[in-house]
């Protein structure tokens, strides 16, 4: 059936339960696959998914269990090595879970489901047994989603697109979709030792499994771009030298590529298009895709743990790859569309709080169970240490509005496994009232975009005053000092995967996303960037030197700020995407880390500065406080834990905070750190004065005298390309020093 005319010729009307007409294309059902000759025993309704086990009679097989509320029937579809399909009906139904135990089905066997029910898009019912569906609980996935017309539950190319989603397509999708794989849970974590890094001591490094190792010269070619590649000693060596305590992996759940990208010859690189919440993405496996990817992922986690590095997953539970009513039918849409997705009042269309076409209906108990089962699986069986939740505000919505007492947040708070791991919210979605920075409850940390914006604006000299900068440097108490939250509730970042790289932030005023094929319309225009006098790459040595200085300023500011710093892979050595601020579809050298940058003395010096700053942070608890500053004097000499100074060497007044300024002095006292060490002794540290000067020209800064200090030693000077490893210049308190334009000085109190 190829032309619109042919489609229209065979279309007919079928009455639905409430009398609305619906159209079915090619109503002649495909020839059924052979019915299983192997008996299907009743099995168990729990746990969900495909679980290999040995029955009470000693016979090995697999128990299959699928929640499919409202369905009229479920067929289990088994596939042999040649792709031949055998179907077996699951006849047991317990609390809307269809289940059965099939003897002889061993690990490595591929499978899927066909779910029977009404086709009535007008009421949200989109069952279509012609479409092979991926098990939501599949622990491994074999194959890739090519998204031809056959994988759509409706006729994708129906000439009248405004009603296309109501025209059912009865062509078989099995030849075109990946299959779930039965996996044997035989792994033991007895030899794994989780680092369990406290939040306040954490330094996060956001990376892409493929992009981080794809061009790494020390990783064998056959392992580049894979879990095994990230586990390779050459990859881990860089992380250890840099000093980060955790990697935050861009999505590794099985995902699909969007149809509009495939049509343009592109692919979804970032992976924010999940379709399998239990399966490691098969495209990152070097060892095989019929279950081997599970073991490879676990070995990667073990290797990182052995190096003292935690593993945090960026997870996308807010939407799936099935998009809206015009999207493909791959899994949940064909299992129970109304049960899994938020629908608009007319039930035919989707409520979209994500900008991706659909939103999971987390208020529904079975959807909440799917998410929490997935989270617990990755912690207990895959060994991960935490999660960053994409568009977390969408998960916190009750019926419509964002609700910090929502079922999702309540379940996480009481779960004995999940409440113990690191939980990071991207605290917004695209719906009304979706911006929730500072609103998530205790246990949660948040990506702090107000930190990002303030630091970017300060260093391009675009802040009207320094009030915002003061809050961000000192832990964002205005956002997080409530309900028992601590400074580490703020994940501080200047760049993330989404947006300019750090180098591009100081090299481009405008985005350059032409390679994405969307007319440069995609990606934000609000970059808060400054190109330092030339757009893009230039041979002007003055511009190049200023850009490197700005990079040093941004890195130094980030790693001296109170809160949890997050770096993006490659920013520590000047990675560029050529001005592309939305490289989600650039699975190529644009998106991959360029390791040859470390051969350039200038970029190697940047890496060494980043490593030195992280080491400084690890050594000094005053830079990673577990409680907010009080700003009050705790001793007779009037010394406070935090003080702010103007270039005159005087403490800032209320008026100084509101006045235009490009210079800020921040004094951190090591004498007044709350809490005690593991032995119960007071925590004492050096005291520091940080001087941040964003003006073009030099400024004279008077170093505060007693009781603050008698002498100061320069520890970091971003005006220098190379940082001295030996003790720096010592200045007497009360003297005036000249701070060059666009410079950070960090001075230790002597």
């Amino acid at each position: 059936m190829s032309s619109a005319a042919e489609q229209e010729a065979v279309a007919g009307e079928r009455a639905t339960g409430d009398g609305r007409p619906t159209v079915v294309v090619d109503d002649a059902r495909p020839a059924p696959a052979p019915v299983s000759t192997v008996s299907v025993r009743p099995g168990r309704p729990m746990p969900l998914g495909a679980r290999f086990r040995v029955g009470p009679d000693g016979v090995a097989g697999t128990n299959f269990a699928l929640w499919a509320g409202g369905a009229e029937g479920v067929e289990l579809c088994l596939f042999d090595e040649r792709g031949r399909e055998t179907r077996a009906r699951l006849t047991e139904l317990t609390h809307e879970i269809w289940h059965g135990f099939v003897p002889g089905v061993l690990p490595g066997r591929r499978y899927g489901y066909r779910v029977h029910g009404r086709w009535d898009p007008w009421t949200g019912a989109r069952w279509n047994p012609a479409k092979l569906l991926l098990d939501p609980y599949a622990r491994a996935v074999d194959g890739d989603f090519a998204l031809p017309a056959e994988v759509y539950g409706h006729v994708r190319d129906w000439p009248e697109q405004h009603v296309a989603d109501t025209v059912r397509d009865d062509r078989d999708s099995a030849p075109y979709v990946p299959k779930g794989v039965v996996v044997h849970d035989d792994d033991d974590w007895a030899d794994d030792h989780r680092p369990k890094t406290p939040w306040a001591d954490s330094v996060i490094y956001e990376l892409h499994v493929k992009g981080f190792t794809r061009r790494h010269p020390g990783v064998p070619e056959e392992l580049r771009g894979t879990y095994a590649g990230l586990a390779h000693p050459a990859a881990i060596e860089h992380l250890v030298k840099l000093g980060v305590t955790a990697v935050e992996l861009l999505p590794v759940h099985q995902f699909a590529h969007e149809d509009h990208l495939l049509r343009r010859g592109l692919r979804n690189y970032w992976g924010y298009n999940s379709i399998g919440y239990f399966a490691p993405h098969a495209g990152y496996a070097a060892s095989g895709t019929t279950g081997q990817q599970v073991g490879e992922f676990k070995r990667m986690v073990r290797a990182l743990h052995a190096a003292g590095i935690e593993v945090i997953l960026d997870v996308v539970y807010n939407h799936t790859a099935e998009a809206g009513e015009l999207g493909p039918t791959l899994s949940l849409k064909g299992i129970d569309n109304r049960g899994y997705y938020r629908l608009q009042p007319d039930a035919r269309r989707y409520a979209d709080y994500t900008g991706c076409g659909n939103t999971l209906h987390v208020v529904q108990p079975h959807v909440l169970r799917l998410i929490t089962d997935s989270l617990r699986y990755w912690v207990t069986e895959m060994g991960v240490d935490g999660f960053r939740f994409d568009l977390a505000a969408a998960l916190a919505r009750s019926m419509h509005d964002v609700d910090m007492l929502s079922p999702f947040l309540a379940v996480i708070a009481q779960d004995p496994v999940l409440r113990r791991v690191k939980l990071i919210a991207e605290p917004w979605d695209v719906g009304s009232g979706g911006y929730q920075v500072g609103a998530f409850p205790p246990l949660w940390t948040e990506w702090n975009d107000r930190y990002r914006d303030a630091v970017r604006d300060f260093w391009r000299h675009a802040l009207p005053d320094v009030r915002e900068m003061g809050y961000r440097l000192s832990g964002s108490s205005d956002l997080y000092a409530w309900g028992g939250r601590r400074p580490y509730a703020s994940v501080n970042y200047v760049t993330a995967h989404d947006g300019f790289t750090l180098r591009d932030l100081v090299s481009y005023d405008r985005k350059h996303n032409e390679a994405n094929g969307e007319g440069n319309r995609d990606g934000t225009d609000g970059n808060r960037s400054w190109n330092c006098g030339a757009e893009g790459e230039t041979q002007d040595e003055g511009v190049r030197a200023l850009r490197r200085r700005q990079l040093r300023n941004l890195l130094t500011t980030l790693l001296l700020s109170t809160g949890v710093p997050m770096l993006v892979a490659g920013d520590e050595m000047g990675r560029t995407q050529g001005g592309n601020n939305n490289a989600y579809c650039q699975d190529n050298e644009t998106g991959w880390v360029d390791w040859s940058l470390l051969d350039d003395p200038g970029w190697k010096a940047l890496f060494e500065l980043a490593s030195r700053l992280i080491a400084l942070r690890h050594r000094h608890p005053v830079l990673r406080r577990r409680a907010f500053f009080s700003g009050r004097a705790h001793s007779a000499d009037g010394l406070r834990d935090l003080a702010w100074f103007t270039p005159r060497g005087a403490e800032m007044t209320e008026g100084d905070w509101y006045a235009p300024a490009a210079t800020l002095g921040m004094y951190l006292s090591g004498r007044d750190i709350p809490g005690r060490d593991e032995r119960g002794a007071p925590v004492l540290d050096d005291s520091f004065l940080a001087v941040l000067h964003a003006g073009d020209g030099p400024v004279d800064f008077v170093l505060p005298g007693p009781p603050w200090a008698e002498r100061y030693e320069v520890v970091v000077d971003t005006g220098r390309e190379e940082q001295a490893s030996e003790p720096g210049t010592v200045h007497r308190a009360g003297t005036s020093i000249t701070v060059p334009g666009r410079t950070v000085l960090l001075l230790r109190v002597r």
Side-chain angles (χ1 to χ4, degrees):
M1 193 180 306
S2 56
S3 70
E6 289 172 326
Q7 292 172 348
E8 204 162 6
V10 299
E13 289 192 353
R14 174 177 293 173
T16 64
D18 60 359
R20 288 192 181 93
T22 187
V23 182
V24 179
V25 169
D26 193 7
D27 196 31
R29 310 298 299 175
V35 176
S36 174
T37 57
V38 179
S39 64
V40 180
R41 301 178 184 177
R44 304 170 182 170
M46 297 296 291
L48 293 169
R51 303 298 291 269
F52 171 75
R53 64 182 178 88
V54 177
D57 56 357
V59 176
T62 298
N63 192 85
F64 295 91
L66 176 73
W67 183 92
E72 297 171 1
V74 171
E75 288 179 294
L76 169 67
C77 306
L78 301 171
F79 295 85
D80 63 17
E81 295 81 0
R82 297 175 58 184
R84 293 175 298 188
E85 178 183 357
T86 300
R87 301 181 193 174
R89 278 202 174 263
L90 300 181
T91 58
E92 300 295 326
L93 180 62
T94 305
H95 303 309
E96 299 185 309
I97 297 172
W98 300 79
H99 55 92
F101 176 80
V102 184
V105 172
L106 306 180
R109 190 69 177 271
R110 300 182 304 151
Y111 73 100
Y113 292 107
R114 299 180 186 273
V115 181
H116 297 258
R118 293 186 305 119
W119 175 263
D120 185 12
W122 302 99
T123 62
R126 294 182 178 272
W127 284 287
N128 185 343
K131 308 306 169 184
L132 185 75
L133 306 175
L134 183 67
D135 179 5
Y137 280 73
R139 300 194 173 195
V141 176
D142 180 50
D144 204 354
F145 290 97
L147 300 189
E150 286 83 354
V151 306
Y152 290 74
H154 66 281
V155 179
R156 185 190 67 183
D157 302 320
W158 189 254
E160 298 176 87
Q161 279 292 294
H162 67 285
V163 294
D165 68 289
T166 68
V167 185
R168 193 176 77 194
D169 187 324
D170 281 347
R171 290 173 291 182
D172 186 11
S173 70
Y176 310 101
V177 294
K179 312 322 189 267
V181 181
V182 177
V183 174
H184 186 18
D185 301 323
D186 61 351
D187 211 71
D188 183 7
W189 286 96
D191 61 341
D192 181 68
H193 301 284
R194 296 177 185 259
K196 297 182 180 179
T197 307
W199 258 126
D201 300 339
S202 297
V203 178
I204 297 174
Y205 189 76
E206 187 192 42
L207 66 81
H208 189 286
V209 168
K210 181 177 183 179
F212 185 69
T213 61
R214 187 62 184 84
R215 302 177 68 185
H216 198 303
V219 176
E221 177 66 35
E222 66 274 13
L223 301 183
R224 294 178 188 175
T226 69
Y227 305 118
L230 182 53
H232 191 273
I236 292 178
E237 180 186 19
H238 180 82
L239 301 172
V240 172
K241 283 184 177 179
L242 184 57
V244 298
T245 67
V247 291
E248 182 176 302
L249 307 182
L250 266 68
V252 295
H253 288 164
Q254 184 70 39
F255 63 86
H257 305 289
E258 293 90 333
D259 182 63
H260 69 91
L261 290 178
L262 294 172
R263 291 177 185 230
R264 296 202 301 270
L266 298 171
R267 295 163 58 85
N268 186 315
Y269 171 55
W270 286 348
Y272 290 91
N273 206 36
S274 300
I275 195 61
Y277 291 129
F278 290 77
H281 185 64
Y284 303 152
S287 53
T289 61
T290 54
Q292 298 91 337
Q293 60 264 53
V294 178
E296 185 177 332
F297 184 94
K298 292 179 179 180
R299 291 189 292 274
M300 176 197 73
V301 173
R302 276 200 183 92
L304 289 163
H305 282 178
I309 298 170
E310 293 185 305
V311 178
I312 299 171
L313 303 188
D314 194 334
V315 289
V316 189
Y317 294 112
N318 56 78
H319 75 280
T320 75
E322 293 185 299
E325 61 272 8
L326 294 176
T329 297
L330 309 175
S331 182
L332 306 181
K333 184 180 290 187
I335 295 171
D336 185 357
N337 183 59
R338 295 178 298 188
Y340 277 108
Y341 293 116
R342 290 181 181 266
L343 303 180
Q344 293 186 15
D346 67 1
R348 175 184 162 195
R349 306 192 187 280
Y350 292 73
D352 183 9
Y353 297 114
T354 67
C356 300
N358 66 52
T359 307
L360 279 180
H361 202 348
V362 182
V363 175
Q364 297 280 12
H366 49 275
V367 180
L368 189 58
R369 179 172 60 188
L370 170 68
I371 295 173
T372 53
D373 283 353
S374 168
L375 291 169
R376 281 189 293 268
Y377 171 74
W378 287 95
V379 173
T380 60
E381 299 195 39
M382 302 296 273
V384 307
D385 306 285
F387 305 93
R388 178 265 187 189
F389 292 82
D390 181 65
L391 299 182
L395 299 173
R397 289 183 181 272
S398 290
M399 293 312 296
H400 300 289
D401 297 333
V402 178
D403 179 5
M404 292 305 158
L405 298 176
S406 66
F408 172 74
L409 295 179
V411 166
I412 296 291
Q414 61 79 43
D415 189 283
V417 172
L418 302 180
R419 69 188 181 201
R420 297 177 183 271
V421 302
K422 288 182 166 65
L423 303 171
I424 306 171
E426 184 183 36
W428 51 76
D429 64 20
V430 303
S432 176
Y435 186 76
Q436 295 289 325
V437 172
F440 275 73
L443 289 184
W444 288 81
T445 65
E446 300 174 14
W447 272 25
N448 188 351
D449 67 327
R450 289 185 59 178
Y451 178 93
R452 175 200 65 194
D453 294 350
V455 172
R456 289 186 179 192
D457 282 346
F458 179 81
W459 284 112
R460 67 190 184 110
H461 201 185
L463 283 177
D465 53 52
V466 291
R467 285 176 296 158
E468 184 77 1
M469 193 63 173
Y471 274 122
R472 304 308 145 230
L473 289 171
S474 58
S476 297
S477 60
D478 58 329
L479 299 176
Y480 302 113
W482 64 273
R485 303 191 82 182
R486 298 299 182 94
Y488 45 78
S490 176
V491 174
N492 298 332
Y493 68 104
V494 179
T495 56
H497 67 276
D498 188 1
F500 280 148
T501 67
L502 203 65
R503 178 175 169 183
D504 289 354
L505 189 68
V506 301
S507 304
Y508 295 90
D509 279 352
R510 302 177 304 278
K511 65 186 181 185
H512 296 269
N513 298 355
E514 290 80 7
N516 295 355
E518 299 177 40
N520 206 35
R521 295 183 300 273
D522 63 304
T524 182
D525 293 313
N527 295 293
R528 290 180 157 87
S529 61
W530 176 49
N531 65 18
C532 297
E535 187 72 1
E537 297 302 310
T538 178
Q539 297 303 311
D540 187 314
E541 284 303 323
V543 172
R544 289 158 65 100
L546 176 57
R547 288 176 177 174
R548 289 194 297 272
R549 178 180 293 217
Q550 287 288 80
L551 290 176
R552 295 193 293 273
N553 290 334
L554 291 163
L555 277 175
T556 302
T557 302
L558 174 65
L559 292 167
L560 295 182
S561 298
T562 300
V564 179
M566 184 184 79
L567 294 166
V568 179
D571 274 357
E572 74 279 12
M573 53 184 167
R575 185 174 77 91
T576 179
Q577 293 178 168
N580 191 321
N581 75 350
N582 190 34
Y584 78 104
C585 56
Q586 297 300 317
D587 189 2
N588 49 47
E589 293 187 353
T590 297
W592 303 337
V593 173
D594 180 5
W595 292 93
S596 70
L597 291 167
L598 288 175
D599 298 329
D600 182 305
W603 299 125
K604 185 176 181 180
L606 185 68
F607 168 80
E608 290 171 347
L609 173 63
S611 179
R612 185 164 179 258
L613 288 166
I614 293 173
L616 187 74
R617 185 181 182 92
H618 289 325
R619 286 197 305 271
H620 292 285
V622 72
L623 300 177
R624 43 186 174 83
R625 289 173 56 100
R626 288 164 165 76
F628 287 105
F629 296 97
S630 70
R632 296 188 298 270
H634 295 282
S635 57
D637 58 12
L639 193 69
R640 292 190 296 281
D641 59 358
L642 174 68
W644 304 94
F645 291 90
T646 69
R648 302 185 305 276
E651 288 193 67
M652 292 181 65
T653 65
E654 186 75 11
D656 291 327
W657 285 109
Y658 287 86
T663 311
L664 187 61
M666 178 176 66
Y667 184 96
L668 306 172
S669 172
R671 285 172 35 180
D672 298 300
I673 302 174
R676 296 179 294 171
D677 64 19
E678 292 181 353
R679 297 182 179 182
V683 178
L684 298 175
D685 194 14
D686 293 329
S687 297
F688 291 90
L689 175 68
V691 179
L692 296 86
H693 175 52
D696 291 324
V699 65
D700 292 330
F701 194 98
V702 178
L703 299 175
W708 308 103
E710 294 182 0
R711 290 179 297 167
Y712 295 89
E713 174 195 343
V714 176
V715 178
V716 175
D717 178 358
T718 64
R720 299 165 57 97
E721 189 90 41
E722 300 287 341
Q723 299 294 311
S725 57
E726 65 277 358
T729 305
V730 176
H731 300 278
R732 286 188 176 277
T735 60
S736 178
I737 62 172
T738 299
V739 182
R742 303 192 186 278
T743 296
V744 178
L745 286 182
L746 180 67
L747 305 105
R748 180 189 288 114
V749 170
R750 295 285 297 271

